[in-house]
């Protein structure tokens, strides 16, 4: 089979929509940090992180972007990039490999200069044979974000080339709708209940939706296509 660029085994996921009262971005960020801390203290949990939306078939937001300081200009037919907002724990939780540079830290917040992590295909295309670290990416009218890391591509649909993925730090843009991913060595049921328990521990009134193993999420995403090809 084709390499998806992620490892969905032993990973639980659940979706969280922060309620209206947590409109203050700081409140959302504190809750996310507290949930990660609660999970980190659990034996059998190896990593946990947040992302605005999972890299699964057709769910993502494709955004136009401009590579700054790149020797290559983007053509009109070049695809946009899947716009991802992630915490540092997201990458190890899904087995997405850091190729060079660094992942996000808590200090990559809204007060810090903007930073981004790019997927390998963006690096290859726009910085061929060069080091993209220290270059920049611009999305829309936002100020350019300095590239601090390059990660492996994630293939969102098995039969297509990987879409370019652009990651921005959750600490700078703590969005309302997030997915929590948790990797661990525990049996399925225990891992799923740890995820839910950590969210409830931080805020007993916070609902968690679609709590399921990532393998099932990925399975549902590719199942219709599997039957098409028979």
């Amino acid at each position: 089979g084709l390499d998806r660029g992620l490892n969905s085994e032993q990973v639980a996921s659940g979706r969280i929509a922060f309620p209206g009262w947590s409109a203050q971005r700081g409140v959302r960020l504190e809750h996310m940090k507290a949930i990660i801390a609660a999970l980190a203290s659990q034996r059998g949990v190896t990593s946990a992180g947040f992302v605005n939306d999972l890299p699964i078939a057709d769910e993502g937001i494709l955004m136009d972007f401009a590579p700054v300081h790149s020797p290559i200009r983007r053509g009109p037919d070049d695809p946009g990039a899947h716009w991802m907002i992630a915490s540092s724990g997201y990458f190890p939780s899904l087995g997405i490999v850091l190729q060079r540079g660094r992942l996000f830290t808590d200090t990559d917040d809204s007060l810090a200069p903007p930073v981004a992590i790019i997927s390998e295909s963006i690096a290859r295309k726009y910085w061929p044979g060069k080091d993209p670290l220290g270059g920049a990416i611009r999305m829309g009218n936002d100020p350019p974000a300095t590239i601090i890391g390059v990660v492996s591509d994630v293939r969102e649909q098995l039969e297509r080339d990987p879409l370019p993925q652009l990651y921005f730090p959750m600490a700078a843009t703590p969005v309302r709708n997030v997915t929590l991913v948790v990797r661990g060595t525990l049996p399925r049921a225990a891992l799923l209940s740890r995820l839910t328990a950590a969210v409830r521990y931080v805020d007993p009134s916070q609902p968690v939706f679609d709590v399921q193993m990532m393998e099932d999420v990925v399975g549902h995403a590719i199942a219709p296509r599997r039957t098409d090809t028979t």
Side-chain angles (χ1 to χ4, degrees):
L2 279 164
D3 181 15
R4 287 190 73 88
L6 56 78
N7 178 358
S8 58
E9 289 171 26
Q10 295 290 113
V11 184
S13 72
R15 284 153 63 134
I16 295 173
F18 288 108
W21 60 260
S22 69
Q24 305 91 338
R25 291 153 57 139
V27 174
R28 293 200 286 269
L29 200 54
E30 286 312 310
H31 277 210
M32 285 190 250
K33 282 185 187 168
I35 290 166
I36 299 292
L39 284 161
S41 68
Q42 298 285 332
R43 193 175 293 162
V45 171
T46 48
S47 62
F50 285 98
V51 70
N52 64 327
D53 97 71
L54 287 171
I56 302 297
D58 295 338
E59 286 212 344
I61 302 169
L62 275 185
M63 302 281 269
D64 260 353
F65 69 95
V68 187
H69 321 132
S70 153
I72 313 285
R73 294 268 71 84
R74 260 190 84 215
D77 301 331
D78 289 356
H82 187 165
W83 179 64
M84 314 279 282
I85 298 172
S87 72
S88 60
Y90 167 74
F91 301 95
S93 297
L94 277 197
I96 299 170
V97 180
L98 179 67
Q99 308 280 7
R100 59 194 315 167
R102 68 171 178 89
L103 296 176
F104 301 129
T105 66
D106 287 346
T107 56
D108 294 317
D109 58 18
S110 57
L111 302 174
V115 292
I117 291 171
I118 61 176
S119 64
E120 226 179 333
S121 57
I122 297 180
R124 259 202 317 272
K125 184 164 187 177
Y126 296 105
W127 282 270
K130 295 189 166 57
D131 186 352
L133 298 182
I137 284 270
R138 185 195 286 280
M139 290 200 101
N141 297 319
D142 292 345
T146 302
I147 298 165
I148 57 163
V150 179
V151 292
S152 55
D153 281 302
V154 174
R155 195 179 284 275
E156 307 193 14
Q157 293 186 4
L158 286 177
E159 70 277 20
R160 286 203 203 146
D161 284 342
L163 274 173
Q165 283 130 359
L166 260 181
Y167 299 89
F168 297 93
M170 188 68 78
T173 313
V175 288
R176 268 190 65 182
N177 294 293
V178 293
T179 297
L180 170 60
V181 286
V182 184
R183 175 177 291 282
T185 54
L186 302 162
R188 290 171 71 104
L191 196 57
L192 292 167
S193 70
R194 289 279 197 292
L195 183 153
T196 310
V199 177
R200 299 244 161 89
Y201 171 76
V202 173
D203 179 2
S205 68
Q206 174 65 59
V208 197
F209 307 96
D210 299 341
V211 177
Q212 56 189 325
M213 296 301 283
M214 267 300 292
E215 282 180 288
D216 298 332
V217 178
V218 171
H220 290 317
I222 59 179
R225 294 187 177 75
R226 259 198 208 128
T227 51
D228 287 349
T229 54
T230 49

